[in-house]
Amino acid sequence: MKMPKHSDEDKALFRALVPEGSGVEVKPMFGSVGAFVNGNMFAGLFSPNIGVKLDPQGLEELRAIEGSGPFGPEERPMGGYLSLPASFSDEQSTAWVERAREYVATLPPKVKKK
């Protein structure tokens, strides 16, 4: 499985789309970045795609938008996540990232393994 290289510009754009809030943090992962709330990932960068984790209704709505698609490696896309269309404006992307944050914030906090 080949992991894409991410430019500093890709990472800066991703960070700019992530809303600030209680329990929200952006962390490096596998040479990229992911956005987490209470330890659970709600958005990630798999260049050039930004993916979001949504509830079933949100996934259905996003899937219906032209340009959305699987998120992650082609041979093993991440379940529960979809890539945002490249045609989205920053405002549209921010709205979907916030929607993902709101959904994932309802999930039980991730307990760190010892």
Side-chain angles (χ1 to χ4, degrees):
M1 174 178 348
K2 186 173 178 174
M3 299 299 283
K5 300 276 186 208
H6 303 92
S7 70
D8 290 339
E9 292 80 22
D10 290 337
K11 291 177 186 178
L13 171 62
F14 178 79
R15 289 177 191 279
L17 297 174
V18 175
E20 292 184 19
S22 178
V24 172
E25 59 183 329
V26 176
K27 301 190 291 190
M29 56 182 285
F30 309 113
S32 186
V33 287
F36 297 78
V37 63
N38 301 325
N40 293 303
M41 190 169 98
F42 65 90
L45 177 65
F46 193 81
S47 210
N49 300 311
I50 295 171
V52 292
K53 181 177 180 119
L54 299 165
D55 65 340
Q57 180 181 343
L59 287 170
E60 188 176 309
E61 288 177 35
L62 185 55
R63 193 174 284 113
I65 298 173
E66 185 176 338
S68 68
F71 177 68
E74 188 176 328
E75 55 278 353
R76 281 187 63 187
M78 294 175 66
Y81 289 82
L82 284 176
S83 293
L84 300 177
S87 63
F88 269 9
S89 67
D90 288 352
E91 291 79 21
Q92 289 172 302
S93 295
T94 298
W96 281 96
V97 170
E98 173 59 20
R99 185 170 174 178
R101 187 205 61 78
E102 288 173 356
Y103 165 63
V104 173
T106 68
L107 301 177
K110 190 82 141 212
V111 178
K112 292 188 178 194
K113 296 177 182 173
K114 295 180 180 186

